[in-house]
Amino acid sequence: MYMKAKKPTILATILLSSSMLVAACGNNDEPEENVPDGTAFEEEQNEKVDESLATDSPETEFGFRFLNLHISTPDNKDAIIAEYYGNSSRSEAVYKNMHAAADAQGDAAYTLLEQVFTDLQITQEMSKEEVIERVTTAFDAADYTNFDLEVEYEDGETKTYTDSKE
């Protein structure tokens, strides 16, 4: 009788142990939270963080950090206004263009200005005439009467370009 009572206990223990083992080794599609240090994923993240901390003034995507443009045409005073503050978020962009019926701020303004700025390619080494030519061409304002542009380039140098045809 002593042996018969021990067999169900042993069988129950083996069955419970087996089911726990199967559950622990089962297919788990979720990523493990306790990933050992030094994995490739973690190293890539650390490199990206280190690169961003290493640069004192990160390059902007357009070659300048700040742009403030006002163009008047014979039809409209302040026909084109474009403002961009690249040191902060996209929400600090403004674009008004009477000829293109554009009046936007924030992300919408940034979206409209992004392609223009990418194609613009102005640098601080360019002459005043070349900068004005590129900007008026990019904004389709060759018949301007007043042109006023202030740009802060990546190195922190600010230049002002003005012209009047009145």
Side-chain angles (χ1 to χ4, degrees), residues 35 69 76 79 92 107:
V35 177
L69 172 68
N76 297 306
E92 293 196 46
D107 287 344

Side-chain angles (χ1 to χ4, degrees), residues 106-145:
D107 287 344
Y110 178 85
T111 300
L112 293 171
L113 291 170
E114 183 177 25
Q115 187 60 49
V116 175
F117 289 165
T118 301
D119 294 342
L120 197 57
Q121 299 293 311
I122 58 172
T123 65
Q124 60 201 53
E125 292 81 24
M126 291 180 177
S127 69
K128 169 187 165 183
E129 292 76 21
E130 189 176 4
V131 170
I132 291 173
E133 173 66 28
R134 284 188 180 215
V135 172
T136 56
T137 300
F139 285 94
D140 195 25
D143 64 336
Y144 68 91
T145 55

Side-chain angles (χ1 to χ4, degrees), residues 14 27 32-33 37-38 46-47 49 52 61 84-85 88 93 98 102 122 131 134 139 144 150 152 160:
I14 292 173
N27 186 6
E32 291 185 36
E33 291 182 15
D37 291 339
N46 290 339
E47 286 176 15
V49 170
S52 66
E61 60 187 303
Y84 169 74
Y85 303 93
S88 55
M98 299 292 199
I122 58 172
V131 170
R134 284 188 180 215
F139 285 94
Y144 68 91
E150 182 181 2
E152 180 184 336
T160 303

Side-chain angles (χ1 to χ4, degrees), residues 141-154:
D143 64 336
Y144 68 91
T145 55
N146 284 311
F147 180 93
D148 186 23
L149 172 65
E150 182 181 2
V151 179
E152 180 184 336
Y153 291 98
E154 289 177 339

